[in-house]
Every structure is written in C-alpha cells, then in structure tokens.
C-alpha cells in the first residue's frame, strides 16, 4: 500500500517523478516513481546519514551490482540506479501485487498446486541467481510479490557473491529467523543450499499458513532451526518429500535449485494462468486498480528548487536546538500558525524570545548553555540496588569534576527513573532526550530497558552508553549513537571457555534455561561455540521456560560424566540446578552465568552453591584497582558500592574526559566521535571501541567463586 509524500521528501530522483511512499526501512525510503517513459518504478533512496558512511554506500553499491547480474522473468528487473549520487538510488520495475506474507495473512494458505507452481518459478529464479554467482540470503514471504502470471523475487540488499567477504561482522546472523538455514542461524557463511532451505520454509509457510519452525523470540527460532525437525503437518504427500529434502540440516543433503525445478516439472509455469485462487486474484486486481487511481501528486519542500529557490537543509543537518527559518513553500503555513502562536504568546517579542537558540530576548544578556549529562536507571524497580549504585557512581564522578578549580565548565547531572519497565524506559528516554542541553546519557541498567530506550536517544543523535547491559543485538537495526561499555554476552563466554580449558575440562555439559531469556541463550549458545573452537566436547541441553523440574535433566547430564557443568538461566532455577547437581556424584567444575549470580541464588541453593564459579564483567569493590573509588563512594554515601557502580563511574569519567578534550562545547555527534576515537584508561578496564562496528574491544572479565555462602573475588581472568 502507498502513503503520501511528506514535505521533506524529494520530488524527483534520477529522472523519476515521485508519486508516493511505498515504505521505509532501516537505511532508506522506497518511493513509487514514474519514469519519463511513463512506466512505474519502485525507487529505493538511501538516507543522507547513511550515504555519508562508506560502508553503507559500499553495501548499497553491492546491492545494485547484484540485482543487475540477475536476468529472470521471476526476479524484478533493475530499470536504473546511481549508487554514487549524493542520494544513492536504485529503481526496479514496480509490481503492484501483494507480498506472499500479505496474501497468506489476508486470504489464508494457498492450494497445493498453487504452492508447487510457486515453488517451481522461484526455483527457476534461484537457479538464475546462483548461476550468476550470487546467494540471495533472505528468501522469505515478504520478499516474494505475487502477480497473476507468477511471483517476483525482490530485495538483493544482503545478497553476496559466493567468493566475496560480506560487509557484515563475524558472528552476525544474516537473514530472517524462521526462514534461514541452520548454517546461517549459527552465523556461518551462506551458500546456494541456504537459499534452497529458505525456499523449503517459504513453500511450507505458503501451504500451511505457518513457518515450519514456529514463531516467537529470535533465539527460540534459531535454536529450533538448528536442532528441531520442521513442522510439516498439513503438507500433501506429493510435496512433503521435496520439502523434507530442502529442509535437511546438512547443506550437502539438499537439492539444488535446478533439481527443485526438475522435481516440480509437472507444474509448467507457462500453463499456470489459474495457479492462484479467486480471493488472491481479486486482491491483486484491487492493488492494480489502486495504482490507476493515485491521488494528486503531493507538493514537497523540494519542489521549490525547480523554481530557483535555495535548497533547504535536510532535517538531519539542522541542529536540534536551532529553529530553521521557514522555506518559501512553507511561508504561508508558517505565517498562519505563527500568527496564532504570537497572539497566544502575548505579542511578537514573546514568541521571538522563545524561538531564539540562545534562549534570550534581544535586550537581555545571552543565557549560558548548560552542559548536561543524563542518567537513566532503574532506581525503584527490581534492579534498584544496581541502578542506584550506578547513579551514585556517576554522580560522584560529576561532583569530583565540578570540585576542580581548573574545570573548563560546570557539568549538570540529570537523572530519570525507568523503574525497570520497558514501556516507561521508552517514555523517559524521549523526555530526557528533549532537553536541548543534553550532551550524552548513561543507561539504562538492564537489557529490556536499554533496548526500549535506544530509539528515543538515537532520534536526537544523543550518544548513549550503557555500563551494564550486555545484550547483543537489541533489534533489527543498529542504533547509530550507542556504545556498550561492557563486554557483551557473545564475548564473555570466550574467557570462561579458555579458563575451563586451563583448568583441565575436556567434556562440558551446558544447560541453557529458556526462563533466563536472551541473556541465558546468548551466553549458553556462545559458550558452546567457544568450547568447540577449543576442541572441548560440549553437550548442550535447553530447558523449556515452563519446565517445572530440571532434576531429571541435571541427572541425565551428570550421568555422561562431564568434567564441567555450565548453567545459564535465572537465579531461582540456578539454585534448583545446584541442589540437583549436588545430589549426584558429579565432582567437576561448576560455572554459573553472571546474571544468575545474586543473593537469591546463595540463599536458595544453600550449601550446594559452594564451588560454583562466575565469570563476570564487573569488578569487586574490594579489588585494588578500584579501592580509591570504593573509599570515595563510602565517604559520600555511607555504604560500600554494589557491583556495577565502579563501571558506571568509569563510563562517566570517560565522557567527562572527552568533553574536556573537545576544547569547547561539542555537538552530541562530535562527542560521539570523540568517544570512539581513542582508548580511555579507566579504573576497571581500558575502553577501546571498534572504529567500524563500535563494539568494545577490551574484554576484561573477573572471576568469582562461591565460598562459605558468599561470592569470593578471585581476580581478573588472564587468558
């Protein structure tokens, strides 16, 4: 479906008059455009903030090259492109039909013959793709458009050649969970066989109305894709054997796209005029008719350029604290709105004073801009002990800076409480980000609240740093101004695996409790992968979220005589596992994921907690590197700092250091560049961020062991 153009949209791109919006993605906007020939086209335009980044421009250039290499009637054709333009764009033939995903949602599953015709035409499309030396890597219902004469495969945004290195980081899952192959779920390179697996998923979805590996959380989908058999109930006998071959776990056991085409040879595309049921044909006809009844072309701010007017700056180029002058095209609207506002404000002078970027009237002295550092934390919710400790650590760093006689500015701290609730986290983030004086924010405390708050700060280009949330990733698109100043869940297990290896472990049982959410999954899955790298036999088990008793699972794992036992889950279930393991004859190493290591585990496990090791990203307050901080904290607040307070203090000092180095008040974007530019040596760790992917490169990990009912600090882990 189409949407109206907005005032900031361009009016023309590459000879196309833009008529409407078709959709917006993470890196750009797709418009409906009309070429000079009169043909309609889907015009994809990269957003300005990405066009200036070489890696994104290279990715887009690769998409253009890949799409141009494929010549098939079942693949949308490229009609024009300019990846080197100031606003890179790609135009493809416009297909008015709905996607397969929309069709199944609106009309239900397709009949068996229709799915076989669909499968054969897409197999022919993939044969062309693979013969061109490409792998699509994202075959899914949303990337298949339906017309009465057959499907059309779209979106080569993440396609790559079979011999190239993809412009993505190692260990990143590429594709859509639920419609990707087991090797992609394990973050391994995709091949033509991966596309065939996805085709099998897509056909199963089309014929049953559900993905063969279910729905739900991403980690659950990836796990089921790797370990479970597909759900093919309802697939007819004439199609089921083919889908079983396509969905084989081993890529070598899958047919090629050409073999799928040959297997479905009884369904000839040229005789497939009636391949879709009547409701779907009507849906396609309605979409086509809507294109013939497009509304009048919306005027945009950029239409003025054709009349010789100066180009308005793109919104992303205008500082958030500056009110831009109205363009000629919007002057009448500005005068109408402004007149009402003037009366409401009590006169022209009042409105002018309110809109000046320095906040002062012409007769008054200019206001000195505040230098504001924000803190978002759980101050009253389930993680309030950690959140309060972090807020106090950051406040201590600010107070120490402000007490300096040579300070170049005075820093104001502004704290907000998200109560550990994701919905509230998003609300308070938007509120805090609206402060025009805010330079950066540290927070939030937990994974859910950090993820929920990302958009609020990123929209305002405010640098956001977390000292304690280690989830990776938080969503489908990476925030542009976010830094994890803590080793992520996918980096921590490497140190733990090396330590187990050094302690003599050669066979390790890994129990992942789904009740532990994303943290447990990422820690457990990465631990298993790292054990494999070290040639340690890993035996993974996954406990369902609703499992009431894990004792049988623990007993079964212990019966295999492992050298070590690893558990990733919740504190309460960790205690139950510790007690169950203590009841067996297991006497090997025990490792507990740090999210489970709290007071609840100690009290609930009792004596069974002794001997468990924890590999954590936080340092103990008694450790020598942070004794000065601990002393200052105790003097200021009258108590010993909790875990994570020193890390927050470190991050605050890093931000303050970069602000001081700026030599003047930096913009938020300038501050972000300073944060990632050089290494900062903190009291807990050195903070160095990868220049390209912005992840923390220093992985200091600290080991604890439960002794006598307490977590005894065993020092920094050296591997």
């Amino acid at each position: 479906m189409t949407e109206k153009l907005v005032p900031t949209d361009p009016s023309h791109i590459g000879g196309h008059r833009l008529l409407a919006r078709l959709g917006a993605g993470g890196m750009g906007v797709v418009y409906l455009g009309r070429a000079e020939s009169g043909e309609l086209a889907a015009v994809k335009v990269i957003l300005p903030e990405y066009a200036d980044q070489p890696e994104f421009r290279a990715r887009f250039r690769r998409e253009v090259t890949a799409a141009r290499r494929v010549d098939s009637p079942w693949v949308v054709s490229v009609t024009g492109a300019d990846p080197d333009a100031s606003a890179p764009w790609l135009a493809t033939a416009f297909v008015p039909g709905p996607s397969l995903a929309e069709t199944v949602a609106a009309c239900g599953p397709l009949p068996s013959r229709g799915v076989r015709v669909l499968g054969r035409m897409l197999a022919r499309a993939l044969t062309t793709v693979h013969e061109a030396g490409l792998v699509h890597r994202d075959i899914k219902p949303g990337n298949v458009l339906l017309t009465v004469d057959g499907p059309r495969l779209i979106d080569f945004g993440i396609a790559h050649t079979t011999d190239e290195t993809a412009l993505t980081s190692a260990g990143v899952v590429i594709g859509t969970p639920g419609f990707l192959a087991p090797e992609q779920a394990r973050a391994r390179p995709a091949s033509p066989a991966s596309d065939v697996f996805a085709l099998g998923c897509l056909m199963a979805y089309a014929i049953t109305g559900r993905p063969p590996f279910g729905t739900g959380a991403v980690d659950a989908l990836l796990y089921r894709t790797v370990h479970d058999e597909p759900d093919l109930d309802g697939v007819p006998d004439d199609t089921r054997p083919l889908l079983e071959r396509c969905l084989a776990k081993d890529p070598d056991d899958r047919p090629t796209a050409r073999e799928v085409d040959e297997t479905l040879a009884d369904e000839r595309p040229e005789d497939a005029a009636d391949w879709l049921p009547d409701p779907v044909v009507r849906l396609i006809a309605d979409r086509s008719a809507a294109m013939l009844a497009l509304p009048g072309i919306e005027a945009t701010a950029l239409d003025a350029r054709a009349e010789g007017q100066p180009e308005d700056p793109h919104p992303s180029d205008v500082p958030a604290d500056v009110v831009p002058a109205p363009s000629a095209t919007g002057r009448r609207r500005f005068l109408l709105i402004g007149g009402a506002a003037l009366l409401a404000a009590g006169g022209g002078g009042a409105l002018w004073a309110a809109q000046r970027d320095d906040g002062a009237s012409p007769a008054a002295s200019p206001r000195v801009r505040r230098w504001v550092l924000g803190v978002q934390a759980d101050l009253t919710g389930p993680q309030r002990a950690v959140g309060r400790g972090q807020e106090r650590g950051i406040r201590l760093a600010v107070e120490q800076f402000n007490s300096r006689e040579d300070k170049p500015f005075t820093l104001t701290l502004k704290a907000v409480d998200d109560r550990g609730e994701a919905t509230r986290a998003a609300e308070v983030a938007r509120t805090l980000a609206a402060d025009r004086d805010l330079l950066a924010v540290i927070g939030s405390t937990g994974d859910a609240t950090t993820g929920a708050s990302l958009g609020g700060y990123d929209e305002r280009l405010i640098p956001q740093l977390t000292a304690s949330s280690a989830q990776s990733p938080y969503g489908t698109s990476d925030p542009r101004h976010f830094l994890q100043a803590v080793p992520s869940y996918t980096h921590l297990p490497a140190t733990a695996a090396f330590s187990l290896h050094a302690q003599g472990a050669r066979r390790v049982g890994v129990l992942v409790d789904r009740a532990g959410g994303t943290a447990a999954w990422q820690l457990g899955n990465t631990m298993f992968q790292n054990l494999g790298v070290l040639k340690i036999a890993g035996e993974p088990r996954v406990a369902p979220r609703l499992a009431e008793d894990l004792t049988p699972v623990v007993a079964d794992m212990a019966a295999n005589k492992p050298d070590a036992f690893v558990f990733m889950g919740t504190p309460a279930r960790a205690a139950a596992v510790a007690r169950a393991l203590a009841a067996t004859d297991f006497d090997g190493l025990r490792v507990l994921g740090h999210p489970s290591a709290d007071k609840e585990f100690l009290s609930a496990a009792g004596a069974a907690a002794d001997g468990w090791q924890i590999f954590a990203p936080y340092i103990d307050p008694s450790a020598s590197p942070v004794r000065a901080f601990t002393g200052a904290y105790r003097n200021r607040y009258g108590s010993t700092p909790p875990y994570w307070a020193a890390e927050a203090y470190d991050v605050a000092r890093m931000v303050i250091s970069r602000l001081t180095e700026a030599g003047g008040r930096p913009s938020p974007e300038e501050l972000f560049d300073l944060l990632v530019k050089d290494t900062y040596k903190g009291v807990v760790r050195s903070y160095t961020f990868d220049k390209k992917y912005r992840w923390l490169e220093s992985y200091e990990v600290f080991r604890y062991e439960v002794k006598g009912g307490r977590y005894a600090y065993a020092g920094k882990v050296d591997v």
Side-chain angles (χ1 to χ4, degrees):
M1 301 297 289
T2 61
E3 298 177 1
K4 290 184 177 181
L5 297 174
V6 300
T8 55
D9 282 329
S11 58
H12 293 81
I13 286 288
H16 297 84
R17 180 57 166 103
L18 302 188
L19 309 177
R21 279 183 166 220
L22 294 175
M27 292 196 303
V29 179
V30 181
Y31 298 98
L32 175 64
R34 190 184 304 280
E36 294 177 355
S37 64
E39 297 293 326
L40 292 177
V43 186
K44 182 176 183 178
V45 183
I46 296 298
L47 294 173
E49 56 263 40
Y50 291 108
D52 292 337
Q53 300 181 27
E55 63 270 25
F56 284 101
R57 189 177 285 270
R59 174 177 171 178
F60 187 70
R61 186 179 293 108
R62 184 183 64 181
E63 177 180 356
V64 171
T65 301
R68 280 174 163 164
R69 288 171 63 173
V70 179
D71 183 13
S72 168
W74 317 121
V75 176
V76 290
S77 57
V78 175
T79 59
D82 188 354
D84 298 312
S86 57
W89 59 275
L90 166 67
T92 59
F94 176 69
V95 179
S99 70
L100 177 61
E102 293 177 87
T103 300
V104 172
C107 305
L110 299 182
S112 176
R113 178 176 178 271
V115 174
R116 290 175 64 84
V117 172
L118 172 73
R120 186 170 193 199
M121 287 188 272
L122 289 178
R124 288 190 170 187
L126 286 178
T127 298
T128 304
V129 170
H130 298 161
E131 288 178 348
L134 297 169
V135 181
H136 189 284
R137 299 202 296 178
D138 199 20
I139 306 297
K140 62 181 180 181
N143 279 343
V144 174
L145 303 180
L146 301 184
T147 71
V148 292
D149 64 343
R152 299 294 188 274
L153 182 61
I154 65 171
D155 198 352
F156 282 78
I158 61 173
H160 75 149
T161 62
T162 54
D163 59 352
E164 79 172 325
T165 300
L167 294 176
T168 51
S169 58
V172 174
V173 174
I174 302 297
T176 301
F179 293 91
L180 47 69
E183 57 271 21
Q184 291 172 282
R186 293 178 181 272
R188 295 173 182 170
S191 68
S194 306
D195 285 347
V196 171
F197 187 97
L199 175 60
C201 292
L202 184 142
M203 291 179 65
Y205 169 82
I207 206 168
T208 66
R210 63 182 186 276
F213 296 99
T215 60
V218 170
D219 59 343
L221 288 173
L222 297 179
Y223 180 86
R224 290 196 291 265
T225 299
V226 174
H227 298 286
D228 293 354
E229 292 302 315
D231 176 10
L232 297 180
D233 288 348
V235 176
D237 292 341
D238 62 346
T239 306
R240 186 179 184 116
L242 172 62
L243 296 193
E244 288 175 342
R245 292 178 60 206
C246 291
L247 298 176
K249 303 297 184 188
D250 188 339
D252 293 338
D253 293 336
R254 300 172 203 152
T256 64
R258 184 176 294 281
E259 288 171 342
V260 173
D261 178 10
E262 294 170 350
T263 302
L264 297 171
D266 56 323
E267 306 295 351
R268 299 197 304 168
E270 55 269 25
D271 295 335
D274 60 345
W275 73 291
L276 293 173
D278 290 343
V280 178
V281 174
R282 284 196 294 272
L283 179 61
I284 294 172
D286 290 343
R287 289 293 175 86
S288 299
M291 291 302 103
L292 297 176
L294 284 171
I297 297 172
E298 295 292 322
T300 72
L302 301 186
D303 280 328
R305 298 177 194 168
E307 303 171 9
Q309 298 294 342
E311 180 176 342
D312 292 332
H314 189 276
S316 64
D317 298 328
V318 180
D321 58 350
V322 175
V323 179
S327 64
T329 57
R331 186 173 292 118
R332 180 172 300 174
R333 180 181 299 174
F334 174 83
L335 291 174
L336 291 173
I337 297 174
L342 285 171
L343 292 174
L351 181 64
W352 171 243
Q355 289 189 338
R356 284 175 60 99
D357 65 282
D358 61 7
S361 66
S365 59
R367 176 177 68 85
V368 177
R369 293 287 302 276
R370 297 179 305 157
W371 295 57
V372 177
L373 174 62
V375 179
Q376 180 178 333
D378 177 1
L379 302 179
T380 57
Q383 289 185 286
R384 57 184 175 275
V386 172
R388 287 174 179 172
Q390 290 189 323
E391 189 270 341
R392 288 178 170 183
I394 296 167
R395 188 172 299 279
L396 181 61
V398 171
E399 290 175 350
Q400 289 176 344
F401 171 77
N402 285 340
S403 68
R404 288 170 40 185
E405 293 185 359
D406 63 341
K407 63 181 181 295
F409 54 86
T410 298
L411 190 59
T412 299
L413 190 66
K414 190 172 183 179
V416 293
D417 176 20
D418 60 29
R419 299 198 293 249
E421 302 169 359
T423 300
R424 178 173 170 80
E427 294 172 354
V428 300
R430 287 192 293 270
T431 300
L432 183 56
D435 187 333
R436 298 190 315 167
D437 294 334
L438 183 68
L439 288 167
V441 64
I442 301 174
S444 177
T445 310
D447 294 331
T449 50
T450 299
S453 65
L454 293 177
Y457 298 117
D458 207 42
E459 287 175 5
R460 297 294 186 111
L461 311 181
I462 302 296
Q464 179 182 1
L465 304 93
T466 177
S468 56
S469 176
Q471 182 171 314
S472 174
Y474 292 87
T476 57
S477 61
D478 292 331
R480 295 160 291 174
H481 300 86
F482 174 66
L483 295 174
Q484 276 182 311
V486 58
S488 73
Y489 296 138
T490 56
H491 289 129
L492 280 167
T495 302
F498 274 106
S499 182
L500 287 178
H501 184 273
Q503 295 179 69
R506 296 297 179 268
R507 186 182 185 89
V508 179
V510 180
L511 177 55
V512 178
D513 178 13
R514 294 304 303 278
T518 300
W521 170 257
Q522 290 184 349
L523 285 167
N525 185 51
T526 310
M527 170 66 82
F528 175 69
Q529 292 178 349
N530 279 281
L531 292 173
V533 171
L534 295 172
K535 308 301 182 184
I536 299 176
E539 298 182 355
R541 300 290 182 87
V542 176
R545 188 185 303 272
L546 299 179
E548 296 182 357
D549 185 9
L550 301 186
T551 300
V553 178
V554 174
D556 182 58
M557 295 176 69
N560 292 328
K561 305 298 181 183
D563 303 314
F565 189 101
V566 176
F567 177 78
M568 306 293 183
T570 66
R573 304 256 280 213
V577 167
R579 293 194 302 270
L581 192 61
T584 70
D585 60 357
F586 175 81
D587 62 355
L589 302 169
R590 298 166 170 82
V591 173
L592 179 65
H594 75 271
S596 306
D598 65 1
K599 293 180 179 179
E600 181 183 2
F601 170 73
L602 295 178
S603 60
D610 275 15
W612 282 81
Q613 299 180 55
I614 297 91
F615 296 86
Y618 48 78
I619 196 169
D620 190 87
S622 66
S624 58
V626 295
R627 282 177 185 166
F629 160 75
T630 299
Y633 186 101
R634 188 182 291 114
N635 291 336
R636 173 67 173 82
Y637 302 110
S639 62
T640 300
Y643 295 136
W644 295 113
E647 286 71 25
Y649 173 79
D650 242 7
V651 173
R653 282 166 53 92
M654 175 175 62
V655 174
I656 294 171
S657 173
R658 298 313 188 213
L659 285 171
T660 305
E661 293 172 9
R665 181 186 176 89
S667 69
E669 288 189 282
E670 290 170 339
L671 174 58
F672 185 81
D673 290 339
L674 288 172
L675 288 168
V676 300
K677 182 178 180 181
D678 298 312
T679 298
Y680 174 77
K681 178 63 176 177
V683 296
V684 178
R685 58 172 53 89
S686 294
Y687 296 86
T688 303
F689 297 95
D690 180 89
K691 297 298 188 296
K692 183 175 183 180
Y693 300 109
R694 310 293 171 79
W695 56 46
L696 185 67
E697 290 188 335
S698 47
Y699 304 146
E700 285 89 346
V701 176
F702 308 95
R703 189 172 72 87
Y704 299 79
E705 185 173 345
V706 180
K707 294 182 179 180
R710 58 179 293 271
Y711 296 109
Y713 181 59
K716 178 181 169 183
V717 181
D718 294 318
V719 294

